[in-house]
Amino acid sequence: MFEELLAQYRQMQLIRRLEEEAARAYVGGKIGGFLHLYIGQEAVAVGSEGAIRKTDYVITTYRDHGHALVRGASARAVMAELFGKDTGVSRGLGGSMHMFDAEHRFLGGHGIVGAHIALGSGAAFRCKYLKTEDVVLCFFGDGATPIGGFHEGLTLAAIWKLPIVFVCENNLYSMGSPMERTNPTSDVTLKGPGYGMPTDRFEGHDVEVVQERMKAAVARARRGEGPTLVEILTYRFRGHSMSDPGKYRTAEE
């Protein structure tokens, strides 16, 4: 148990340090385009990875550096991608928002909010069609829950009982608006019953809690019992991207 926790701590530290160096390089003009940092949310990616197998699939949004690392991409390959190098995880063609690593079954970061949720259901359909035991984890932010792709992806997954876990990383601010201004409810899991699927909601600051709660949803999917909507309450320490000054937060916060 100690060795597992130590390894997870090292993974979380690796994500944090890589993101800090990426921010420094961006300010120095060495990284172009957008840069969305995962600082503050490390336990979500690391704990979730501890609940699945290497043969399972992960798909996520443009805040994807941490997920690429826990799936198995090297820090060198991730940083090279940010620098636009051919040695990057996507050969320098994707940049920050479009990490992709087929070898480690990481189906990418995606730049269009919510659109990848339907793609996650498509990957899960493949798993079921080929009768594998693989499961898909589909991560998205709270800002994606009002998007059409969210409705489409969850509807199809529920109808076909696909082996997928939908994971909302609720970092409270979508792009730059508090959730109470963009959603009629601050509890994303209240949407679950509308799709006939079970839900779970918990804080994602403790890697052990994340791993254990995610294991239950993953096991349900692997048994053929269909999808689960999970909301993990986390917190984004930085702005939405490096160009976001975060003025919507109070000085006290």
Side-chain angles (χ1 to χ4, degrees):
M1 186 63 177
F2 173 76
E3 292 300 324
E4 181 182 11
L5 285 173
L6 183 60
Q8 290 177 324
Y9 177 70
R10 288 178 64 87
Q11 277 192 311
M12 292 170 65
Q13 282 278 38
L14 175 63
I15 296 171
R16 177 67 63 91
R17 294 293 175 258
L18 183 137
E19 296 291 61
E20 289 173 341
E21 290 305 318
R24 221 181 320 271
Y26 188 90
V27 171
K30 297 180 179 179
I31 296 174
F34 291 100
L35 185 70
H36 302 83
L37 302 177
Y38 201 63
I39 292 175
Q41 302 179 216
E42 296 90 347
V44 177
V46 175
S48 297
E49 179 65 23
I52 60 175
R53 302 170 181 171
K54 289 300 180 184
T55 54
D56 293 328
Y57 295 90
V58 169
I59 186 169
T60 190
T61 69
Y62 41 77
R63 200 177 304 281
D64 56 357
H65 311 161
H67 291 286
L69 287 170
V70 299
R71 277 274 78 192
S74 70
R76 183 178 293 273
V78 170
M79 191 63 81
E81 185 62 34
L82 296 178
F83 278 69
K85 294 185 176 181
D86 185 61
T87 52
V89 69
S90 298
R91 298 198 65 180
L93 301 174
S96 173
M97 297 198 294
H98 303 102
M99 302 277 172
F100 189 91
D101 190 351
E103 178 187 353
H104 296 108
R105 299 203 166 188
F106 179 56
L107 302 181
H110 293 263
I112 300 178
V113 176
H116 73 288
I117 299 175
L119 300 180
S121 291
F125 180 83
R126 175 191 183 277
C127 295
K128 183 168 184 175
Y129 186 79
L130 296 179
K131 296 182 172 59
T132 70
E133 292 186 352
D134 301 329
V135 170
V136 177
L137 295 190
C138 179
F139 293 89
F140 49 91
D142 46 292
T145 58
I147 301 295
F150 174 86
H151 171 69
E152 294 164 356
L154 270 67
T155 296
L156 292 176
I159 290 172
W160 294 329
K161 289 191 177 299
L162 300 181
I164 184 170
V165 181
F166 297 102
V167 187
C168 175
E169 294 188 76
N170 187 347
N171 61 25
L172 306 181
Y173 285 106
S174 300
M175 287 182 68
S177 300
M179 195 171 180
E180 59 267 20
R181 291 180 56 192
T182 59
N183 275 271
T185 174
S186 60
D187 185 345
V188 171
T189 61
L190 292 177
K191 299 173 185 278
Y195 301 99
M197 66 176 67
T199 63
D200 195 10
R201 187 173 194 256
F202 55 91
E203 289 195 356
H205 308 298
D206 187 324
V207 69
E208 289 184 282
V209 171
V210 175
Q211 179 170 299
E212 290 308 309
R213 298 288 278 268
M214 285 295 292
K215 277 183 178 179
V218 169
R220 186 180 300 117
R222 215 181 296 281
R223 290 194 301 266
E225 297 175 14
T228 301
L229 174 60
V230 176
E231 180 182 8
I232 304 181
L233 303 172
T234 182
Y235 191 78
R236 188 184 74 215
F237 286 6
R238 301 292 185 92
H240 172 68
S241 69
M242 285 295 293
S243 60
D244 172 19
K247 293 182 179 179
Y248 41 83
R249 307 191 208 212
T250 65
E252 290 77 15
E253 184 180 349

